[in-house]
Amino acid sequence: DQNEALKWIHNNANNLGGDPERITVSGHGSGATLASYHLFIKQSHDLFRNIILQSGTPLSSSLSPIRAEVATQRAQELVEKIGCNQPEYIECLQASENITEASIELFNQFTNDDFVSKIYFKTYFPPSIDNILLLNLPQHSFESGRFKQCSILTGNVAHEGNSVI
């Protein structure tokens, strides 16, 4: 979805008074982690020039990518929990008003409804290594030099990650 949004922004930047060659991707917290994944998605490389990451990195463990098989299994659990049947499951999911509730239920089961686990595991549906867009774990891509070489501005805030100050 983000890659498609980047394509749209790149293709329409001129119409919006922008320069398609000077697009900067940014995010904060988990948004920074997800934005940083575009460093490893070759299909995104020509769509932005720089990246700003505030309080999140591609190495944040709470959004570590999962294998495609695990993502597929989790998606099937969601489809079953909502009550969608094959082969019309896409239409069923699109029409469902229970996706949020079902996702929360699966997440609570996954974390055993434990507060600390919920803080550590931010989502039941993190990015997946699909061998189409995301080919490897971020740390492996860094180690092998397979990432977009660009200007990266990073930062954090005082009391980072502390919910009680």
Side-chain angles (χ1 to χ4, degrees), residues 62-82:
S62 62
L63 287 171
S64 290
I66 56 178
R67 293 185 331 274
E69 305 81 47
V70 174
T72 299
Q73 179 247 330
R74 290 181 182 181
Q76 288 171 338
E77 289 175 9
L78 179 64
V79 167
E80 290 169 13
K81 186 160 280 301
I82 293 172

Side-chain angles (χ1 to χ4, degrees), residues 31-89:
T33 300
L34 295 174
S36 70
Y37 275 58
H38 292 282
L39 294 169
F40 314 110
I41 297 174
K42 192 160 184 67
Q43 295 88 329
S44 293
H45 289 183
D46 292 338
L47 303 176
F48 71 98
R49 182 173 176 183
N50 305 301
I51 192 163
I52 300 171
L53 307 176
Q54 176 68 38
S55 302
T57 76
L59 303 177
S60 298
S61 59
S62 62
L63 287 171
S64 290
I66 56 178
R67 293 185 331 274
E69 305 81 47
V70 174
T72 299
Q73 179 247 330
R74 290 181 182 181
Q76 288 171 338
E77 289 175 9
L78 179 64
V79 167
E80 290 169 13
K81 186 160 280 301
I82 293 172
C84 296
N85 298 314
Q86 300 271 348
E88 307 86 26
Y89 70 92

